[in-house]
Amino acid sequence: MRAAPIKMLHDRLLVEVDQEAGERRSTGGIVIPATAAMGARRLAWSRVIAVGPHARAVEVGDRVLFDPEDKAEVEVHGEVYVVMRERDVHAVAAERLEGGSTGLYL
C-alpha cells in the first residue's frame, strides 16, 4: 500500500526536532540528558517540513523556536514529527530574513 501525501491545514506546521535538542553538555563537560529537569523551561529548535495555507511568517525549510512541552508528536513513515500552530512559534531563523529589522543572528 502506497502512503498518501499529507497537506497541513490552517496555520499548522509539521516540524522535525533537531537531534541536538536532546542531550547537551554543560560548560564543565557534564552530559545533561534531555529528560533532566531544569529550573527554567528550555525552548527547542526545529526544521519546518510542511506548512498550512494560512501560515504567514513561516516557510518550509525555516528553523523555528518553540516550547517542547506544548508539542503534539505524530509518526509519519516511521519518523517522528511535531505538529503545532504557527502562533506557538517564538522565533524564526531563515536566510530570507537577513533584511529584517531585528538585528539578531541565531
Side-chain angles (χ1 to χ4, degrees):
M1 176 184 223
R2 199 179 102 182
I6 296 173
K7 177 182 179 181
M8 302 306 290
L9 302 177
H10 311 293
D11 69 337
R12 300 303 196 282
L13 308 174
L14 183 69
V15 300
E16 175 180 64
V17 179
D18 287 352
Q19 295 304 320
E20 304 98 47
E23 69 180 34
R24 53 196 185 277
R25 215 171 266 283
S26 73
T27 53
I30 298 171
V31 175
I32 302 168
T35 56
M38 302 298 286
R41 290 170 65 175
R42 185 175 177 89
L43 300 177
W45 286 101
S46 295
R47 187 172 60 87
V48 178
I49 302 300
V51 298
H54 297 292
R56 298 182 309 187
V58 178
E59 295 179 7
V60 172
D62 289 352
R63 292 193 52 196
V64 294
L65 185 65
F66 73 102
D67 186 348
E69 291 188 17
D70 295 335
K71 69 181 180 182
E73 291 184 352
V74 62
E75 186 174 330
V76 178
H77 306 297
E79 298 289 328
V80 177
Y81 298 97
V82 173
V83 176
M84 69 179 74
R85 290 179 180 263
E86 185 180 33
R87 69 179 179 208
D88 294 331
V89 171
H90 295 281
V92 177
E95 293 293 326
R96 64 183 168 76
L97 302 175
E98 282 188 37
S101 60
T102 64
L104 298 176
Y105 293 91
L106 302 175

